Amino acid sequence: MKKDADFKLIQKNKKAYFNYEILEDLECGMALVGTEVKSVREGRVSFSDSYVEIKDGQFELIGFIIQPYSHGGKVFNHQGDRKRILLAHKQEIKKFRRKVEAKGMTIVPLEIYIKHNLVKMKIALARGKAVYDKKAAIKERDLQRDARREMKSLGY
């Protein structure tokens, strides 16, 4: 993804990259209320076990938590764990629905960011990894870390 002055990454779902094989991704807008946007800008979000369902022809984000706004009162603040609508084109939603129903895949959120003062979320069509794939990923990461450490100690 191109990084520019109007792009600010809020949080990345590292667990999704570890637990799933990412096949195809998509950028979506988010339908939020005012205090949710303020909380997102503060970075008060959590991906814990969140996923995306397709209901009534639209993406519905479930399990994604946006903490209540710290400077807001109790009257106008939002509920932290409500279901949120993700905004995407109808054709993209249909394409994802066909793949989820036919191949038994799932849709997971990958990252949340602010782009041109709008809150966006990157979602992906994903297939669950087997245990041996996860172990291979851990082994590869450890080898990469050791190689970087060795290069650093040699002065490269």
Side-chain angles (χ1 to χ4, degrees):
M1 173 168 281
K2 184 182 173 191
K3 309 286 185 208
D4 56 28
D6 293 330
F7 178 89
K8 180 184 175 195
L9 181 65
I10 303 298
Q11 195 172 24
K12 208 172 206 177
N13 189 357
K14 293 178 185 175
K15 204 171 190 179
Y17 286 102
F18 180 71
N19 289 331
Y20 297 98
E21 176 187 350
I22 307 302
L23 303 173
E24 186 177 342
D25 63 349
L26 174 69
E27 179 182 79
C28 296
M30 294 183 74
L32 301 173
V33 297
T35 55
E36 287 178 325
V37 175
K38 292 177 181 183
S39 289
V40 167
R41 286 184 183 277
E42 287 183 343
R44 298 171 50 89
V45 296
S46 173
F47 282 101
S48 61
D49 300 327
S50 59
Y51 61 96
V52 178
E53 282 187 351
I54 301 174
K55 285 189 179 174
D56 301 326
Q58 54 191 356
F59 289 128
E60 194 171 277
L61 181 63
I62 299 169
F64 184 74
I65 298 171
I66 300 177
Q67 298 295 326
Y69 183 52
S70 60
H71 304 298
K74 294 182 180 178
V75 178
F76 296 112
N77 230 331
H78 63 277
Q79 184 181 359
D81 59 349
R82 71 179 184 91
K83 295 178 183 177
R84 292 172 180 85
I85 302 299
L86 297 177
L87 310 171
H89 290 283
K90 198 175 283 189
Q91 294 303 318
E92 293 169 335
I93 295 170
K94 285 180 182 178
K95 181 172 78 171
F96 269 55
R97 171 177 277 174
R98 280 193 302 269
K99 291 182 179 180
V100 166
E101 289 173 353
K103 300 176 184 170
M105 297 181 193
T106 187
I107 305 171
V108 293
L110 295 179
E111 40 188 68
I112 184 167
Y113 51 91
I114 296 174
K115 183 176 177 183
H116 302 293
N117 287 329
L118 298 173
V119 178
K120 302 280 188 175
M121 179 169 276
K122 185 187 216 182
I123 62 172
L125 195 61
R127 181 183 305 125
K129 283 186 183 177
V131 174
Y132 57 85
D133 289 334
K134 292 179 188 179
K135 287 181 181 179
I138 292 170
K139 186 175 181 180
E140 178 68 28
R141 188 175 60 217
D142 289 345
L143 288 173
Q144 291 288 334
R145 185 182 313 120
D146 292 342
R148 279 195 309 272
R149 189 177 301 136
E150 192 67 30
M151 294 295 281
K152 189 175 181 180
S153 70
L154 294 174
Y156 287 104

